[in-house]
Amino acid sequence: MGKKVVLAPLDPVHDIGLKMIRRGLEQAGHQTWLFPPDYSPQEIVNGIIEHKADVVLISRTLGYGVEEILARFVDLVDAAGVREKVKLGVGGMAIRAELAAELGFDAGFGPGTPVEAAVAFVEGREFKPSREGTEKKKIDMVGTYDYSFNNASIKAMLDNITNQIIEWSAKRSSPGVERAQLREEILKQEGLGRDTASLRKEYAKLCDDVIADYYTKGSLHAQTRGLEQAELDSLEQYVERTRARMRPLDIRHTRKKPAVFVQYGTGCPFMDIAHIKIAEGWGADGVVHFDPSWGARTEGFLEGYLTHQQDGSVITPENLRCIRSALEESSLWQVRAHRGLNTPETVVLAGECGADLTKINIVYGALGAGTDPSRLTVDAVAAIKYAARYNLPFDVVTNEELCGVPAHKAFAGMLIVANLALALGAKPILQPLFCYSPEVMINKAMEDNYIDFNAAKLIALRQIVDAPIWPGAPIGFLTQNEDRVQSSVSTGLHAGLAASLGVDAISIASADEAYSGGPIAGASRVDTLQSVRETFRFMGQAKIEPTRQAEDMAGELLAGIETALRETVQVGDFVAALHEGVLGNRDEGAYPGRSGKDTVTGG
Amino acid sequence: MNKYLERIVDALDIETFVICRDEDEGMDIIRKMMGEMGLKDVDIVFCQHRGPGARIRARGYIFRSGDHYGWLKEAE
């Protein structure tokens, strides 16, 4: 049976919330009277008596004097002898449930209360929030692309370089390649319940001493600590509790893409999981595993559940499985394998431990991350073959731009690796940086805005190939500062630009992106996810429009890419081209790495 | 009052993330925590709960309008 409900804003002007509630109540079949703003408490009480109301809903937005005025209202309701006959509810920006209870209301509704909650209160039933996000599905980032090339000249040069790389690497191997084969075998034999001691012995022979010591003496890397069984048990229970109450927010509003990725690598798989669960709760679609930089420069992987207080989380089969087990079913999971001496084995572990994506780029790893070009070329070819076998699409990141390499050279390198991936049966994802790079600063390409040059990158790439695009990493790199508002706004705006340009995914920063004094805090994860969500809500299907300059910049990028590829073809040897600076030279901040030098065998 | 708190113009915000069952528990934890820190006049400016816990912005008022402001005195 319908209730008689009086709605009264005990406030000078604000009554929007009550109007929304009135609509909800009337749709539910209740009779309502909405009083105008600024009625006195006595006038409202008179109205309650006149209409014989069953329920009274008061709203209050202004915080000043809220306690006094609401207390006076409740006193007047008492004095009029109607308190026992009506249910009193109060809501609004100035209201908290505890304040409402203190003042004698039957319920208090704070900011953000849905209309349905007020209707449930009127009807005397418990309010059950809708299970927003429970239907969330894992996003397929590569399914709709056919990787067809629109630029025959570029495709011909890429094929030339690709064939040379495949032919060159076919005769070569490395400790990294051999360890990946051994790791695969170890995992296979373990799965069959067989003894793997001899395989591990072989594995240790291919490792640096610090890792070999683990296999031969049982000693851990000095910076790491083994997680105890009691901690692992507690984690399992924590994840179960969290999962039971997980109701992820919808981050994209009316858009289907981009997928939003958050990068983690706190050093500890437990803290990683805490951050991942926060990110999932606030709508992240995927997470990216960051490994420590020493891990990339050390031959071999450790095993076991390991934590440390350094940047980046140690890759071990156990750590990865632990993290995988904590992820929501809908979350995409990327394990990076792009830059170091364990590239092929990382892809094996990513594939075996249930990752959805990986990350490989020879050029960045060799010119910006310190790995010897020939070593990484051999390793990356093996890694790409594993990526194809495990069906792990991978992004080809162009982080060398952050060293100072011009975008057109970084893109030429990215396209070489992408074309190599296609030749080896894998699915590459292009990852142009959305960043304020050194090249941009020097050339003042973003003097007016952060839009045109980023848009130009997308325009140029789409003129070359039909492939998924995932800007990062993270978007807005070097535009964020340590202030969380500035950082979050900057991230949100870059996300809006990326969405406008129709990309498939973005990696976003935390509000601590520019803070280098310590680890990222969980709250900072929420800040930027909220910022991105708010930006997507603001934009809906609307777009950010670049200026005409973007087209001109795209033309220059395209010409630069063609030149870099032509020069690589002319050198006739991809590794030599890396050393000669064709894809980024020393003046531009690209230095051929030395890690793993002289470790390539064969040839 | 703590001589450093006296230099704050009006309020001290604590921005954090608390692992908790729901918003009520999150707000209760933060109120008690701020009370133990010596902040008596506390408000929860923002609290949103999802999955593992709550993103909270809690405010401890040091001076409300009309108070005798400690920062009017010259710093020692």
Side-chain angles (χ1 to χ4, degrees), chain A residues 96 98 132 238 242 245-249 274 277-278 281-282 484 522-524 526-527 530 533, chain B residues 15-17 19-22 24 27 31 43-46 48-55 57:
Chain A
R96 300 291 182 275
E98 57 271 30
E132 184 184 10
Y238 170 78
T242 302
R245 57 185 187 232
M246 182 63 79
R247 307 280 182 273
L249 287 170
K277 301 315 284 180
I278 292 172
W282 267 263
R484 70 190 175 83
S524 300
V526 176
D527 291 348
Q530 292 276 47
R533 184 166 174 259
Chain B
E15 295 271 0
T16 193
F17 195 95
I19 302 298
C20 52
R21 280 190 304 274
D22 51 30
D24 288 344
M27 290 195 286
R31 276 181 198 286
D43 197 6
I44 308 294
V45 178
F46 174 76
Q48 185 180 28
H49 185 277
R50 289 281 140 187
R55 173 76 173 100
R57 182 179 182 193

Side-chain angles (χ1 to χ4, degrees), chain A residues 1 153 206 214 278 283 296 328 347 368 386 466 492 513 539 599:
Chain A
M1 187 179 161
S153 156
L206 298 164
Y214 166 80
I278 292 172
E328 295 295 303
V347 180
Y386 283 121
D466 178 50
E513 178 59 40
M539 288 178 56
T599 56

